[in-house]
Amino acid sequence: MSDLRERARELDAADPLAAVRADFVLDDPGDGVYLDGNSLGALPANVPGRLDDVVRREWGQLRIRSWSESGWWTAPERIGDRIAPLVGAAPGQIVVGDSTSVNVFKALVGAVRLAGEGRDEILVDAATFPTDGYIAASAARLTGCTVRAVAPGEVPGALTSRTAAVLLNHVDYRTGRLHDLPSLTAAVRAAGAVSVWDLCHSAGALPVGLDAHGVDLAVGCTYKFLNGGPGSPAYLYVRGAHQAAFDSPLPGWNSHAEPFGMRAEYEAADGAVRGRVGTPDILSMLALEAALEVWSRPDVSIAAVRAKSLALTDFFLECVEAYVPAGRVEAVTPVAHAERGSQVALRCADAGAVMERLVAAGVVGDYRAPDVLRFGFTPLYLGFAEVERAARVLAETAG
């Protein structure tokens, strides 16, 4: 134990992102370890002041003038452009607003419409987050398609001339497995289908490369590794080449070419604005914008975050192996870096009870039925000493 504690101290001392922790509101490391940033990111320290100004001045004093004078109207595209470099996208392709579920629906129906006639099947990640599956089934009913669940690795062999769209998760929410976005996207494109990627567990944690790898459409949430706050708005990526043909199933006045013309006929606006629907949630949206300011620091980059993420998860797995009795838990997150997101999932027969004891002891992760302990690693505010402590407490509570 002493050797691993000393290693943790050395790693923290050499950590180029260590100073970023001060930008977040967190417990003292000795009081608790927060390993649930893959469900809800910690509060950025600048957000309360920004929201106070939004509420008191922009809303309280300027009132409706803030739609223009405070930039409220253009916030969905402006904030989308701030997210764009974090997922490898050029400006003008991401719009922020609505929930992940709503954006999955827009993207999937839009993908089927882009695919064109003669394609009537949607492939869905067999291990997807349940809501994505529900949305896919609804989109299929709406578009006259059928849905087929396929493991991501089997997608290339499952594609046919009937495949319209393929909905995949970049990182599996339960196991933390990172799927091969470049090769899977290439296979979908070669088959003439349209790719839709769910980036909820990868954006802000690792490189994505939407433009570089030819992704057609993508969606993601902002309350995990982007720390936008509970229920913060999601985003929709529409590749530039598809924007003129993208036909959203949820046309709204915000996506109209002339939103204040109040015309009875719908005419879609140009660009990513087509992904908008109704009036955006300004309070949550501007909290997210403030949260994203941390990515403007010169010491913060996706490359640095990914490097630290892999180091943290490697170290946690090493500590678990050293501290936890053999056979008590089983790692289900891949060891290979190319196959690992920014979380570690451990299988444990009594996982629910173990997680309750861990939380009571100050180590906050989460439980996924039936037997998974899930720990998220947010490199912007997590240190190696906390990781070592978490593994030690896990050994004590698991017995």
Side-chain angles (χ1 to χ4, degrees), residues 222-247:
T222 61
Y223 47 78
K224 301 181 190 295
F225 295 107
L226 297 180
N227 309 296
S232 57
Y235 57 90
L236 170 67
Y237 164 88
V238 182
R239 188 171 184 82
H242 294 313
Q243 289 177 1
F246 180 70
D247 182 9

Side-chain angles (χ1 to χ4, degrees), residues 8 12 15 34 52 56 60 63 65 67 93 119 130 143 155 170 191 194 203 227 240 280 293 310 345 362 368 373-374:
D12 280 331
D15 176 15
Y34 189 63
D52 184 73
R56 295 180 186 278
R63 292 177 287 276
R65 291 162 53 197
W67 284 106
Q93 298 177 103
R119 291 181 177 268
T143 58
V155 163
H170 196 192
V194 179
N227 309 296
E293 289 178 10
L310 292 172
R368 288 292 178 266
L373 299 168
R374 200 176 69 150

Side-chain angles (χ1 to χ4, degrees), residues 17-26 43-46 297 380-381:
L17 294 177
V20 184
R21 181 187 175 92
D23 287 356
F24 293 87
V25 178
L26 292 158
L43 171 66
N46 66 322
R297 289 180 55 130
L380 293 178
Y381 53 73

Side-chain angles (χ1 to χ4, degrees), residues 316-317 320 329-332 344-348 371-373 375 394:
F316 181 69
L317 288 167
V320 167
V329 299
E330 173 196 0
V332 295
V344 171
L346 303 175
R347 183 166 286 124
C348 174
D371 58 1
V372 171
L373 299 168
F375 303 97
L394 173 61

Side-chain angles (χ1 to χ4, degrees), residues 165-188:
V166 182
L167 173 61
L168 295 168
N169 293 272
H170 196 192
V171 174
D172 186 284
Y173 80 99
R174 185 181 289 107
T175 67
R177 176 178 289 276
L178 173 64
H179 296 302
D180 190 347
L181 181 147
S183 68
L184 290 172
T185 300
V188 173

Side-chain angles (χ1 to χ4, degrees), residues 25 94 113 134 142 166-167 218 233 238 262:
V25 178
I94 293 179
R113 291 174 175 176
Y134 307 154
L142 179 68
V166 182
L167 173 61
V238 182
M262 301 303 167

